[in-house]
Amino acid sequence: MTIADAQREMRFAYYGGAPGMLTSATVWLIAGIVATVMSPDRAIWSLFIGGMFIHPVAVLLTKAIGQPGKHSANNPLGSLAMETTFWMILMMPLAYAASRLRIEWFFPAMLCIIGGRYLTFATIYGTRIYWLCGAALAIAGGSLGLATASPAIGAFSGAAIEAVFAVAIFITSRREIALSKKVAIGSGQQA
């Protein structure tokens, strides 16, 4: 399997990653709401706990829209996705520690962490849009951290950025997946 084949399979299996990003945007939105109506500390835990459900919910959503939600065992990019998940989890205690110094720093730190993870998605999915998304999240994180913006603004910023990119990825992936299915049907294969 070439890298291009592996990337194509990942885009097909996970709808370009759009369902995962949309699920993540929803978790950020919930954290923003919790920060607004409850407290920033509860919002932090909302993001942590909600984050644990992003992948399983995204897989269910992916399957609901007709994609497999699973890549082949021999796809080398599957292990890269897992490795970046572990990297992200290892970075979360730093974001939490920053929040103990200044509560306003948690969401900007998480924006930078998630932005960094999305940069690797450019390789996993073979699409440059993830570079733009990662950069947008990191720039937002840095700017909001410097401005010591409220936790709710940080969470809502993550939700908005991810929602916009999720829609863009859905649109571009829809075309590629439709073409892949048409080619597979034309050649007598099952997509």
Side-chain angles (χ1 to χ4, degrees):
M1 178 179 286
T2 68
I3 293 295
D5 291 337
Q7 291 169 329
R8 194 175 323 47
E9 182 192 39
M10 295 298 272
R11 287 192 306 272
F12 183 82
Y14 299 104
Y15 213 98
M21 189 175 286
L22 184 61
T23 304
S24 181
T26 304
V27 172
W28 282 96
L29 178 63
I30 291 167
I33 292 168
V34 170
T36 302
V37 299
M38 293 181 168
S39 73
D41 280 322
R42 287 189 177 179
I44 289 170
W45 288 105
S46 296
L47 191 70
F48 280 155
I49 293 167
M52 291 188 290
F53 294 98
I54 291 171
H55 181 69
V57 169
V59 168
L60 290 174
L61 182 58
T62 302
K63 289 180 178 187
I65 58 177
Q67 294 310 111
K70 184 178 181 184
H71 57 275
S72 63
N74 67 335
N75 189 320
L77 297 174
S79 61
L80 179 59
M82 185 58 71
E83 291 159 2
T84 64
T85 300
F86 288 126
W87 173 85
M88 178 185 63
I89 291 167
L90 291 171
M91 296 289 92
M92 288 178 174
L94 291 175
Y96 185 75
S99 77
R100 299 305 87 193
L101 295 172
R102 262 198 107 115
I103 195 75
E104 298 88 359
W105 288 346
F106 176 76
F107 288 102
M110 287 301 298
L111 286 166
C112 290
I113 291 166
I114 301 304
R117 182 166 191 245
Y118 279 143
L119 294 176
T120 62
F121 280 28
T123 298
I124 292 169
Y125 291 107
T127 55
R128 293 181 181 155
I129 195 166
Y130 281 104
W131 289 342
L132 296 173
C133 181
L137 289 166
I139 290 167
S143 300
L144 293 170
L146 289 172
T148 58
S150 75
I153 290 173
F156 287 134
S157 295
I161 293 166
E162 287 197 3
V164 166
F165 279 96
V167 169
I169 295 166
F170 265 118
I171 291 167
T172 58
S173 295
R174 181 179 55 188
R175 284 186 231 133
E176 181 182 7
I177 288 169
L179 182 61
S180 294
K181 287 181 177 182
K182 198 178 287 187
V183 167
I185 290 169
S187 67
Q189 298 174 357
Q190 205 174 36

